[in-house]
Amino acid sequence: MQPFDLVVRNVRVVRHDQAEPTALDIGVRDGRVAHLAPHIDTTEATTVVDGGGKLAFPGVVDAHQHWGIYHPLAQDTATESRACAQGGVTSAINYIRTGQYYLNRGGPYGEFFPEVRAATDDRSFVDYAFHVAPMTAEHIDEIPELVRDHGVTSFKIFMFYGGHGLHGRSADQSSFLMIPPDARYDYAHFEFVMRGVQAAREQFPELADEISLSLHCETAEIMSAYTRMVEQDGTLTGLAAYSASRPPHSEGLAVSIAAYLAHETGLPTINLLHLSSAKAVDAAIRMAQAFPHVDFRREVTIGHLLADIDTAYGLGGKVNPPLRPREDVEALWAHLLDGQLDWVVSDHACCRAEVKFGEPDDDIFVAKSGFGGAEYLLPGLISEGTKRGLSYARVAELTSWAPARRFGLATKGAIAEGLDADFCLVDAEHTWTVRADESLSAQDYTPFEGMELTARVTDTFLRGDQILRDGTVVGQPRGRYLSRPTRP
């Protein structure tokens, strides 16, 4: 047998398909897992790392991030990929679109996407890819080109953007979206996006199962009316007011509309993003029963699992869809434990305090939406999930295997021979308190401030290269753009 580039000894390997972790050594050659065995001969190994009996989890495939939404894309790529490494995330799939924020421009993706690549290449500490949102009819026509030339196999619709702003009510969505004055971002456009994605599945039949459409499900008309009601009433403030202004039935209605449009257009690969409430998940389950031929996948964020409107640290917890009351958090956990949610993500969107908070700084409707959290995704899910009976195997499935398979990353998702040597070491008996000033993100606050977690990522490996050692990012950026699908 050829010598190994790296051997990580004395770890308990977590697999999504095995009930309990297994005591193994991990042998790595040419960036991939070459051998798994209880005792690997390290005589000729180039590098040997003693795992100290820690858990070895597959590198997290965080399928929902937003690099470049509030800060320059090149800057976010450098800083927020460090936060990824800190949390055991080795593959980050980012949502990108034209319009305000991101690159702050419109135009065709044939011109826009190369600029995205130029801003991110050679700057990331982890591997990365992009979901793309078709905002115009021209973008729909570009879907086959995005698949063929750029390896983009997943697309997105923001269902509320046509009549509601990113942070609240808006009367000028055309300027925000940077679309032509006669264009509309509405249900008809959503239908045509679905038809465009389905046409791409038919054009590339070998990729059909890996070409999918994700939807942010909230209803603009409901949110605009309820925002007005909440502001006029004035009883509620803070995160409670924001949750009431974007009520859960707005999610449920949008899920139902999205599902019927998927049925109408024949598009079977639908991802329902960051479901935040009992009503949203109930609608998603009802729609799956109504349209069994549609392969719905249901996503939840670590923020909606860890925090509620009372426990989140200040207005920094503003996000879309909102953090909810505790009963919704408990409902999400019940569905997760019942196997009715498919993966967990961070929805990481770095938003520094000077950007996040407006004037006055205590007005929830002025604050910007979104916050970082990739560094807390795996430790948070292990910490809270363990208390509730969530197995390590299920954590590995929710954070790595399931999103990797859905989004065309066949080289990722598990610690297995032949796959990329992406994994992290977790001390599952390390109790610590979340402090924003200990995060490697550029964000200087966190809604998780003061939360006590009981698991911590200590070391992270990307294709066999150690990128986090004892909690410190090491080396230079090694992340690669993931043109999908990737193949073993």
Side-chain angles (χ1 to χ4, degrees):
M1 182 178 292
Q2 294 179 331
F4 297 106
D5 302 320
L6 167 72
V7 173
V8 179
R9 300 177 54 254
N10 188 23
V11 292
R12 294 176 292 149
V13 173
V14 177
R15 292 283 301 270
H16 69 280
D17 55 356
Q18 294 180 357
E20 298 294 335
T22 306
L24 293 171
D25 295 349
I26 305 171
V28 176
R29 187 184 302 117
D30 298 328
R32 299 211 167 167
V33 177
H35 193 45
L36 293 168
H39 300 286
I40 293 178
D41 183 5
T42 61
T43 304
E44 297 185 23
T46 303
T47 303
V48 178
V49 174
D50 188 343
K54 294 172 186 171
L55 295 169
F57 273 85
V60 173
V61 177
D62 189 349
H64 194 148
Q65 294 198 21
H66 295 272
W67 295 351
I69 184 170
Y70 292 122
H71 309 285
L73 179 56
Q75 173 185 317
D76 257 7
T77 301
T79 61
E80 303 318 294
S81 65
R82 294 170 64 88
C84 287
Q86 185 179 28
V89 175
T90 52
S91 299
I93 314 183
N94 287 271
Y95 285 95
I96 201 83
R97 60 165 172 77
T98 57
Q100 288 184 20
Y101 301 103
Y102 302 102
L103 298 185
N104 289 301
R105 54 158 291 186
Y109 276 117
E111 299 173 2
F112 185 92
F113 198 76
E115 291 187 23
V116 170
R117 288 291 310 277
T120 53
D121 284 352
D122 302 320
R123 290 181 172 89
S124 177
F125 284 85
V126 301
D127 287 351
Y128 58 96
F130 295 98
H131 313 281
V132 170
M135 308 303 292
T136 66
E138 180 183 30
H139 291 164
I140 297 173
D141 293 339
E142 289 184 287
I143 289 174
E145 177 185 334
L146 286 164
V147 174
R148 182 184 61 247
D149 298 342
H150 299 289
V152 174
T153 58
S154 47
F155 302 88
K156 184 177 183 180
I157 288 170
F158 302 84
M159 290 188 72
F160 69 92
Y161 268 180
H164 205 78
L166 179 59
H167 314 297
R169 284 183 288 118
S170 173
D172 189 12
Q173 285 301 90
S174 290
S175 296
F176 168 64
L177 299 176
M178 295 184 177
I179 59 177
D182 60 342
R184 294 293 178 268
Y185 193 79
D186 55 14
Y187 293 140
H189 179 74
F190 305 160
E191 174 191 333
F192 298 144
V193 170
M194 288 189 179
R195 294 191 186 281
V197 174
Q198 176 56 17
R201 294 180 73 253
E202 294 169 0
Q203 182 174 342
F204 305 101
E206 72 282 4
L207 305 180
D209 290 342
E210 295 161 309
I211 296 176
S212 66
L213 178 68
S214 300
L215 297 105
H216 179 137
C217 295
E218 290 184 283
T219 311
E221 294 81 359
I222 298 291
M223 295 191 304
S224 294
Y226 273 75
T227 298
R228 189 177 305 109
M229 291 166 56
V230 169
E231 289 182 312
Q232 290 175 350
D233 178 71
T235 303
L236 296 174
T237 60
L239 297 179
Y242 198 61
S243 178
S245 76
R246 302 171 78 111
H249 72 274
S250 165
E251 284 189 272
L253 177 59
V255 166
S256 303
I257 294 170
Y260 192 85
L261 285 177
H263 164 69
E264 166 64 23
T265 60
L267 176 61
T269 45
I270 296 291
N271 311 308
L272 303 173
L273 302 183
H274 44 42
L275 301 172
S276 75
S277 62
K279 289 182 178 180
V281 181
D282 175 71
I285 292 171
R286 290 176 185 271
M287 292 302 99
Q289 294 167 345
F291 306 114
H293 51 288
V294 179
D295 179 15
F296 293 104
R297 303 292 172 91
R298 307 177 194 112
E299 174 187 280
V300 66
T301 80
I302 194 62
H304 290 104
L305 290 172
L306 292 185
D308 62 42
I309 58 174
D310 296 312
T311 63
Y313 189 76
L315 300 191
K318 181 178 179 179
V319 67
N320 301 331
L323 297 181
R324 300 296 187 186
R326 175 49 50 174
E327 52 265 33
D328 281 305
V329 176
E330 295 303 322
L332 293 179
W333 275 107
H335 288 298
L336 188 73
L337 293 169
D338 282 346
Q340 295 172 320
L341 298 173
D342 293 290
W343 56 75
V344 183
V345 298
S346 71
D347 196 0
H348 186 100
C350 175
C351 186
R352 289 180 59 83
E354 67 267 20
V355 175
K356 179 82 172 183
F357 305 108
E359 293 292 339
D361 61 7
D362 61 349
D363 187 343
I364 190 67
F365 294 102
V366 173
K368 299 292 192 296
S369 300
F371 50 79
E375 64 271 48
Y376 309 119
L377 169 52
L378 184 60
L381 189 61
I382 294 171
S383 299
E384 186 64 22
T386 299
K387 301 175 189 175
R388 298 169 179 268
L390 189 69
S391 70
Y392 292 146
R394 181 74 172 129
V395 170
E397 181 179 25
L398 290 165
T399 60
S400 194
W401 179 258
R405 290 303 163 279
R406 181 58 151 191
F407 293 116
L409 298 177
T411 59
K412 310 288 189 181
I415 301 174
E417 293 180 7
L419 299 190
D420 286 357
D422 295 356
F423 53 89
C424 62
L425 305 187
V426 175
D427 184 346
E429 298 179 355
H430 183 130
T431 299
W432 58 289
T433 302
V434 173
R435 301 295 182 204
D437 59 8
E438 296 177 3
S439 168
L440 298 179
S441 168
Q443 185 172 287
D444 42 4
Y445 66 92
T446 175
F448 310 119
E449 186 79 22
M451 288 188 182
E452 187 175 273
L453 302 183
T454 57
R456 192 159 202 165
V457 175
T458 61
D459 303 85
T460 303
F461 298 82
L462 175 69
R463 287 177 275 102
D465 287 328
Q466 190 161 13
I467 60 173
L468 186 80
R469 180 182 297 118
D470 295 329
T472 300
V473 169
V474 294
Q476 298 301 310
R478 299 182 179 92
R480 297 175 183 170
Y481 173 68
L482 298 170
S483 179
R484 294 174 285 152
T486 64
R487 294 287 185 243

